Amino acid sequence: MVDYPKPNQSVDVVLLTLHQGHLCVLLAPRPSESDLFPGALALPGGYIHTDEDDDLLATAHRVLRGKAGVAVPYMEQLYTFSGKYRDPRGWSTSVAYISVVPALVLEAVHGAGPEAPRLYPVETVPALPFDHNEIVKRAVVRLRGKSTYSSLPTLLLPKMFTMSELRTVYEQTLGLSIPKVTFRRKIEALGIVEPVCGLVQAKGASRPAQFYRRTSEALMEFDQAF
Amino acid sequence: MVDYPKPNQSVDVVLLTLHQGHLCVLLAPRPSESDLFPGALALPGGYIHTDEDDDLLATAHRVLRGKAGVAVPYMEQLYTFSGKYRDPRGWSTSVAYISVVPALVLEAVHGAGPEAPRLYPVETVPALPFDHNEIVKRAVVRLRGKSTYSSLPTLLLPKMFTMSELRTVYEQTLGLSIPKVTFRRKIEALGIVEPVCGLVQAKGASRPAQFYRRTSEALMEFDQAF
DNA sequence: TTAATAGTGTCTGTCAGACACTATAAA
DNA sequence: TTTATAGTGTCTGACAGACACTATTAA
């Protein structure tokens, strides 16, 4: 029986958020002391710290805290990428995680010097090292897919939002337009949001909109498509 | 910067099939020369062979060929299990794959000595080492979930089958009863199967049923639930 | 009063599901 | 002719989506 060398094993995080009306992904320059692609834009990632991480989910959270300084409420395993050739250093695996957060959480991060992580619209992500472009693509597909049958898109919004904002987010992530009335009825039937008593958003010269909030912090799944 | 030890990294395969009307999983006794749980029933699994495996999917196929002697057409990544405590030897990850095959492929395997792999109904899987029970559970959830919006359950059937058999499989994997007419109309609208001209199944004292086959070997996804 | 967006009442076409029917074989 | 299962025609209720309406604020 041959003793095979262990492949390198890393964790990469795809953090998705809304920024200026676009779905964006967080990219950070690789550390300048890195042995491969130093300074190049890439997904925040890192190795497992067997002493402090209880599992890969913990690794993902720690990596994101370290590279972007953000603690996120929602993190989900996306896929494990693997192969002989995805990393020039040899056989490797990367367990990718996806996080979906409202824009506000990152306001502090964005625009803090050239070394800081920044947001890039998913439609125009630059060329990334390894198979990171493929990872981003799969993350977006996952978000779009889950949007048809879950409350995942609500995580892109802040604590309170209007029905219009909610509809816009669903339309953006799904890439289709949903009739106003249909959307409202569906959302009300599903019960994924509840009105915040008495609070409304007055925006410009128009009737103010009712504020809503998620009924549950947890992800909710339903089975009919929009 | 500390240099962390690499966790152990294995691949486990959950092979699901129909056997005597029940959804079953393939379990094999661990090799008697194993350093941990020798002889215990477990999911077929193994380590990455960096010289022969191009990626983890290849590892999964090789493992299944080696442990059960079967080459399967359908294999899909399920989830990556990880943690400090899932393996008593220390920090480890296991990338689980799921395979869905018709019963016939395994007829040869089943019942060939005490060392051979065998099929166990998913409802009554014995206690397994590591977190293998959890892995099996997640595999079944995945199959059930995908059944609501894909042609995955057709992979549990042989090349040819009747509409009734197809409906029974969907009912079994989904755990609900689907009205005969509704099911037929849906399936015909989706176009995931086509009638095999002239061929019918005569079974007992009743009208023979039209044979159908998959229109495509690939998995087909649709968006309405049953 | 106008502009602009929020939210509602009502109709219509589509489709899931119920039900009752016809079809086709063996015994 | 009976039994058993395959497969079809038709009705009904639920609901998605269209459309036109009312509501509520600032300018």
Side-chain angles (χ1 to χ4, degrees):
Chain A
M1 221 174 181
V2 196
D3 206 12
Y4 291 92
K6 292 181 189 172
N8 276 318
Q9 197 169 188
S10 63
V11 172
D12 291 306
V13 180
V14 183
L15 188 146
L16 295 174
T17 190
L18 280 183
H19 184 64
Q20 294 170 350
H22 291 275
L23 184 65
C24 290
V25 58
L26 185 85
L27 300 175
R30 288 169 61 82
S32 49
E33 70 272 19
S34 178
D35 54 342
L36 201 61
F37 305 121
L41 268 185
L43 291 172
Y47 292 106
I48 298 159
H49 291 190
T50 47
D51 54 349
E52 34 177 344
D53 305 336
D54 269 5
D55 52 25
L56 287 168
L57 180 64
T59 307
H61 277 292
R62 180 182 48 74
V63 162
L64 202 54
R65 258 201 325 276
K67 301 255 178 171
V70 281
V72 295
Y74 183 77
M75 183 85 82
E76 171 191 326
Q77 195 184 103
L78 174 63
Y79 193 75
T80 298
F81 297 82
S82 66
K84 226 176 212 171
Y85 308 112
R86 57 178 295 278
D87 184 322
R89 289 165 297 193
W91 229 107
S92 71
T93 70
S94 164
V95 183
Y97 278 78
I98 179 172
S99 178
V100 178
V101 300
L104 279 177
V105 176
L106 293 170
E107 291 294 303
V109 174
H110 196 253
E115 284 289 307
R118 298 187 58 167
L119 298 172
Y120 296 80
V122 294
E123 314 298 345
T124 58
V125 172
L128 305 175
F130 312 108
D131 48 5
H132 284 194
N133 286 98
E134 195 195 330
I135 298 178
V136 172
K137 207 172 291 173
R138 189 179 273 259
V140 174
V141 168
R142 169 75 63 95
L143 171 61
R144 287 206 205 290
K146 277 210 160 182
S147 296
T148 65
Y149 66 93
S150 81
S151 62
L152 188 52
T154 63
L155 299 179
L156 288 166
L157 292 170
K159 281 229 156 36
M160 294 204 307
F161 44 84
T162 67
M163 195 56 83
S164 297
E165 289 166 345
L166 184 58
R167 183 164 70 103
T168 301
V169 168
Y170 267 93
E171 288 182 331
Q172 281 202 346
T173 57
L174 291 174
L176 52 84
S177 100
I178 308 168
K180 185 175 65 160
V181 186
T182 307
F183 183 79
R184 180 174 224 98
R185 278 196 295 228
K186 193 103 184 189
I187 292 294
E188 277 171 355
L190 290 169
I192 62 173
V193 298
E194 61 186 1
V196 183
C197 321
L199 282 180
V200 292
Q201 180 198 53
K203 196 185 69 181
S206 71
R207 174 175 173 176
Q210 176 66 246
F211 267 126
Y212 289 85
R213 65 170 156 237
R214 285 181 285 278
T215 47
S216 152
E217 279 311 303
L219 193 64
M220 213 173 285
E221 302 202 354
F222 33 92
D223 50 23
Q224 274 128 337
F226 272 102
Chain B
M1 219 173 185
V2 196
D3 206 13
Y4 292 93
K6 292 180 189 174
N8 277 319
Q9 196 170 189
S10 63
V11 171
D12 291 307
V13 180
V14 183
L15 188 145
L16 296 175
T17 191
L18 280 182
H19 184 64
Q20 295 170 352
H22 292 275
L23 185 64
C24 291
V25 59
L26 184 85
L27 300 175
R30 287 169 63 81
S32 48
E33 70 271 18
S34 179
D35 54 341
L36 202 61
F37 305 122
L41 266 186
L43 291 172
Y47 292 106
I48 298 159
H49 291 190
T50 47
D51 54 350
E52 34 177 344
D53 304 337
D54 269 5
D55 51 25
L56 287 167
L57 180 63
T59 308
H61 277 293
R62 180 181 50 73
V63 162
L64 202 54
R65 259 200 326 274
K67 300 256 178 173
V70 280
V72 295
Y74 184 77
M75 183 86 84
E76 172 190 325
Q77 195 184 104
L78 174 64
Y79 193 75
T80 298
F81 297 81
S82 65
K84 224 175 212 172
Y85 308 111
R86 55 179 298 278
D87 184 321
R89 289 164 296 194
W91 229 106
S92 71
T93 70
S94 164
V95 183
Y97 278 78
I98 177 172
S99 178
V100 178
V101 299
L104 280 176
V105 175
L106 293 170
E107 292 293 302
V109 175
H110 196 254
E115 284 288 307
R118 297 187 57 165
L119 297 173
Y120 295 79
V122 294
E123 314 298 345
T124 58
V125 172
L128 305 176
F130 312 108
D131 48 5
H132 284 194
N133 286 99
E134 195 195 329
I135 298 179
V136 171
K137 207 173 290 173
R138 189 179 272 259
V140 173
V141 168
R142 169 76 64 93
L143 171 62
R144 286 205 205 290
K146 278 211 161 183
S147 297
T148 64
Y149 67 93
S150 80
S151 61
L152 188 52
T154 63
L155 299 179
L156 288 166
L157 292 170
K159 282 227 157 32
M160 294 205 306
F161 44 83
T162 68
M163 192 58 82
S164 296
E165 289 166 347
L166 184 59
R167 183 163 71 103
T168 302
V169 168
Y170 267 93
E171 287 182 333
Q172 280 203 346
T173 57
L174 289 173
L176 52 83
S177 98
I178 309 169
K180 185 174 65 159
V181 187
T182 306
F183 182 79
R184 180 173 223 99
R185 280 197 293 229
K186 194 105 184 187
I187 291 293
E188 279 170 355
L190 291 170
I192 63 172
V193 297
E194 60 187 0
V196 182
C197 321
L199 282 179
V200 293
Q201 180 196 55
K203 196 185 70 181
S206 70
R207 173 175 172 176
Q210 175 66 245
F211 267 126
Y212 290 85
R213 64 171 157 237
R214 284 182 285 278
T215 48
S216 152
E217 279 311 304
L219 193 64
M220 213 172 286
E221 302 202 354
F222 31 93
D223 50 25
Q224 275 127 337
F226 273 100

